[in-house]
Amino acid sequence: MAVPSVRALTISPPTVELTVAPGETASTTLRLFNETAQPLRLSAVLEPFSPNGVGNPPVGAADAAAARAVLAWLQVHPRELRLEPGAMAEVRLRVEVPRRAAVGGHYASVLWESAAAPEPAATVGVRSRVGTLVFLTVPGAAVVADREIGIRGL
């Protein structure tokens, strides 16, 4: 069974940092490169994550309800695609921050999932994911311990 390697799908950039004010939108482009000899069918999956302050942030958030709220602000187009061997595709990531969004840092990941076609007699398939981390700053005034502080973009 030939299975495309997850290392053969390259995503650029690996991280996106955006500052978007409440009620505003921003867009950026993600590039996907198929470095395999096989066509890849890819689907975008949006997931929250929490930075841990130690280095690479883990996918998966501690406060799932609050972290999942940011996912509604993200749109990926196209959401599914077929990428031929050696080909590159550009994908649009759009962020629309609600007017009443909480100021501060919000985090998400745009994961590209590829499922290998199982052999006819196989009962198990292989699915891989690789993606881009999204660091979103919503600027504005925040109240911390009865003091107002300003939050600006990077």
Side-chain angles (χ1 to χ4, degrees):
M1 172 169 97
V3 178
S5 169
V6 71
R7 289 179 293 253
L9 176 64
T10 301
I11 313 288
S12 179
T15 60
V16 171
E17 295 181 22
L18 297 169
T19 299
V20 185
E24 300 292 322
T25 62
S27 294
T28 192
T29 300
L30 307 177
R31 289 173 183 81
L32 288 68
F33 300 90
N34 180 358
E35 299 178 53
T36 72
Q38 304 291 325
L40 296 175
R41 289 190 182 275
L42 302 168
S43 299
V45 178
L46 302 174
E47 292 283 341
F49 77 87
S50 294
N52 62 11
V54 177
N56 295 328
V59 173
D63 182 0
R68 288 205 171 278
V70 72
L71 301 181
W73 308 353
L74 305 178
Q75 298 172 5
V76 177
H77 184 76
R79 192 82 181 225
E80 294 185 358
L81 57 96
R82 177 183 166 101
L83 197 54
E84 295 299 325
M88 185 269 294
E90 291 189 344
V91 175
R92 182 174 173 219
L93 172 63
R94 183 172 188 260
V95 179
E96 186 173 342
V97 177
R99 291 192 188 282
R100 296 184 184 263
V103 300
H106 301 273
Y107 313 100
S109 56
V110 180
L111 301 173
W112 290 93
E113 184 172 88
S114 173
E119 293 291 321
T123 57
V124 177
V126 176
R127 188 167 41 180
S128 61
R129 287 178 161 182
V130 63
T132 297
L133 299 178
V134 179
F135 300 90
L136 173 63
T137 300
V138 177
V143 176
V144 177
D146 296 327
R147 267 188 28 210
E148 186 175 294
I149 60 170
I151 297 177
R152 298 185 306 244
L154 300 174

